[in-house]
Structure formats: structure tokens, C-alpha cells
Amino acid sequence: MGKTIVGLEVTEESVRAAEISLGRKPQLVAYGEVPLPPEAARDSEVLDSGAVAVALRQLWTGAKFRSKDAVLGVASRRILVREYTTQAMRPDLLREALPYQVQDLLPVPASQAVLDFFPLSQDGDQVSGLLVAAVSENIEQIISTLAKVKVRAQAVDLAAFGLARVTAPLASPEETVATVSIGDHTTQVVISRGGVPLFVRLLPIDVATAATRRHNAEAVEPELELAAVAAGNGSGTGLTVPSRTRGSIRAATPPGVSDLAARLRSTLAFFGSRAASAPLSRVFVTGAGAAVEGILPALGAAIDTPMTIVSVGDVISMSTPPPAGEVALNLVGTVGIALGEAGK
């Protein structure tokens, strides 16, 4: 087997990783997920470095990852992603100027932020794109925790960019599509064309996934909490959900479902209301929250665009037994993070 890279995510409930082979046709060769104890982490933030390091060590051992090189995917309600226009200049000069230009937009001093700018278009001497800002202390804390278990962070990527990347082959290059990853506490929405992200929103909404129920109840046996998720027998579903799903939505919907449906509808409507926006042809839905009872009927009733549920088997071939259930949904984004490095 050739060289591999590991895509890694740290959430409040777990550490999750997927190892893929590098080359023209990447394959998923290993994956795993290890639950975290309460108060060890938040989405993309380490609170207890020792506890997270223990989980990472168990993750690498249990999943039998060959590589110690990882791409860290971040997705948190504390990460700023917004459209931004600035004067066109060389990338190195823009990196130097950006902290001074965007200081008023940041919740922390520019010296305490990690900044990135993803250019999308240029009109004359003005370039427009997506500004991404994260608190540098949070990123440094994760990287230092990885170093404790000798895992090398080769890059840090916005997880939403990975979602746009991984679902690109599911649509034609001309289609404008939305990919929605429903996480335990943060739902990521990225609208893209040909794998290029055009619009990103991070929605802070708690969803009662199996992981959050387990995490809150603390009811799982210790030996199971520390075990990497075992492989199942399923693969990608590719299930298509019609828009405006017929039938009534259950009155007693789980917490967060109605809020999620309303905010997702308003997010897509906001994008569609802009003069230069192309209409969405479809919405890809993934993440553990997609498996929560009531979510899909609620989204189907709120969104006019046809939805397709995407599992990891739909986006990458595998040389390992395929995952099942929520793991197969969560790994879509994790694989997308790794694919950024695989494509270089």
C-alpha cells in the first residue's frame, strides 16, 4: 500500500478519524471513533488535553492507522466564516494585510486569531471570497495535544470545505448544491459548485444524536466507551428524500429538530435571494443527526429542493469493511477533510 493520510475531527462527544490512501483514486483504508468523557472537549476545542490524548492514543491503536500524519478538520460555533471583498494582491501580501483589514470583524484581537481567505472571483482590482477566522489558542491546543501522541498535523482545514470537496463527484460541475452535515451541536451548511465552496454557515443547534444521549447519560460501560467503533455490514445508502415530504411530522419531535428545519430553510432562502445566486439543484444531507427520528420529515417539509442522504460508501471506495449507522454518516465529512491533502 502507498502513502496514506488521516482526516481527524475532535467533537464534544468523541475523536473521529479516517485514513485514506493517497493517489489518483483514494480509498478508505481504516477508520475509528473513540468517545470522550464529559468536559474533555467541545467541537474543535480541547478542554482536557490529557483525556483527549488518551482517546487519540486508543483511536490510533484500535483503528490500526498506519500514518501519523493528519489533517485536522475544524467546525465550531466560534469559527467565523463570512464573505469578504478586498483589493487584489499577491497571496503573501494579502496574508500580511488581512489582520489589519479584518480586525473590526473579529471577536478577538487579530493577533489571537488564525486567518484564511479563500478567493472565489475577481472584478477589476477587487477580489471576493470567504474569510475564515478561528481563535489561535484553540487550534494550538489541539495541535499540542496531537503532539503528545506523536501525531503530526500536516494542515488545518475548515470541515465545511471538506464537505464541498467530498460531495462534488455526486453532482455535475455546473450544478449548485448544498451539503448539510448535521452534527451533535453544530450543523454545517456549505453551498458549492464543482466542489468549490461559495457560501458557508455554521448553525449552533443541539441535536439528540445517539452520541449526545450517551454522553449526557454517561450510561455506557467503560470498556465500550474506550473502544473504537467496530465496523458494520452496511455501506452508502444513496437514499433520496422527496421535497415537501407528505404526511404529518410527529408532534413530539426530538429537541432541536424544528429549530434546525427552520434555520436551514432560512439559510438556503437567504442564499437563493441574492441576485447572483444560481438555484440549488439538490441538497445532500449527512452527519449523525440525519439518523435522528423526525429530522428527515422536518427537513423535507421545510425545504423545496430534493434531498439525498449521503453515507461514506457513496463518496469513496473502501479496502476495509464498511461502517454502518451514524458512523457511516459522520465519516463523510472526515473523509472530505483528508481528501484535501490527497488531492495535492
Side-chain angles (χ1 to χ4, degrees):
M1 184 187 300
K3 189 178 179 183
T4 62
I5 191 76
V6 177
L8 173 67
E9 295 183 89
V10 177
T11 74
E12 184 169 328
E13 276 68 31
S14 68
V15 288
R16 177 174 60 251
E19 185 175 25
I20 67 171
S21 60
L22 301 178
R24 295 180 61 185
K25 293 184 177 180
Q27 280 191 321
L28 178 65
V29 298
Y31 60 88
E33 186 168 27
V34 174
L36 289 170
E39 306 301 324
R42 283 193 292 265
D43 288 349
S44 303
E45 296 180 26
V46 171
L47 305 179
D48 184 338
S49 182
V52 175
V54 168
L56 287 169
R57 189 173 291 110
Q58 293 165 340
L59 174 61
W60 250 256
T61 301
K64 296 181 171 60
F65 293 143
R66 296 175 61 248
S67 177
K68 286 279 191 174
D69 293 327
V71 180
L72 175 64
V74 294
S76 164
R77 59 192 72 189
R78 297 182 64 190
I79 294 175
L80 171 72
V81 186
R82 61 172 295 169
E83 294 162 294
Y84 184 70
T85 299
T86 185
Q87 184 175 356
M89 60 186 79
R90 291 203 323 257
D92 58 328
L93 295 178
L94 180 57
R95 282 193 296 271
E96 293 178 5
L98 203 57
Y100 303 99
Q101 295 178 353
V102 304
Q103 175 61 81
D104 292 343
L105 305 176
L106 305 179
V108 298
S111 60
Q112 299 175 19
V114 177
L115 302 175
D116 195 12
F117 179 71
F118 189 87
L120 295 174
S121 62
Q122 185 168 340
D123 184 8
D125 64 349
Q126 298 291 298
V127 59
S128 299
L130 296 176
L131 170 69
V132 182
V135 178
S136 57
E137 181 182 6
N138 296 337
I139 304 299
E140 291 164 3
Q141 181 76 334
I142 301 178
I143 292 174
S144 66
T145 302
L146 292 176
K148 289 183 177 182
V149 294
K150 295 181 172 54
V151 174
R152 299 173 291 271
Q154 298 297 312
V156 179
D157 194 13
L158 186 68
F161 289 173
L163 289 168
R165 187 182 302 128
V166 78
T167 55
L170 303 180
S172 71
E174 297 78 24
E175 285 186 273
T176 301
V177 300
T179 303
V180 180
S181 180
I182 308 172
D184 307 309
H185 305 287
T186 302
T187 291
Q188 304 172 67
V189 183
V190 55
I191 297 174
S192 59
R193 186 183 305 115
V196 177
L198 307 174
F199 179 87
V200 173
R201 282 291 182 271
L202 304 179
L203 306 178
I205 300 173
D206 293 329
V207 176
T209 63
T212 58
R213 293 196 301 270
R214 180 195 65 233
H215 200 252
N216 292 336
E218 301 181 30
V220 177
E221 294 295 327
E223 62 269 21
L224 293 181
E225 285 210 344
L226 297 178
V229 174
N233 295 319
S235 60
T237 59
L239 173 64
T240 298
V241 182
S243 60
R244 299 292 184 186
T245 302
R246 299 292 186 265
S248 60
I249 300 173
R250 296 166 62 98
T253 54
V257 170
S258 298
D259 186 26
L260 172 62
R263 295 185 66 177
L264 181 56
R265 180 178 183 178
S266 65
T267 297
L268 299 183
F270 173 77
F271 175 82
S273 67
R274 304 185 311 176
S277 297
L280 293 178
S281 62
R282 67 181 95 181
V283 176
F284 298 120
V285 182
T286 191
V292 172
E293 183 179 7
I295 286 280
L296 296 183
L299 297 187
I303 299 171
D304 292 322
T305 310
M307 296 190 302
T308 300
I309 310 305
V310 178
S311 186
V312 69
D314 301 316
V315 296
I316 193 169
S317 62
M318 306 182 195
S319 61
T320 182
E326 290 189 359
V327 180
L329 295 167
N330 276 335
L331 282 176
V332 172
T334 317
V335 166
I337 292 163
L339 283 174
E341 196 70 12
K344 293 180 180 179

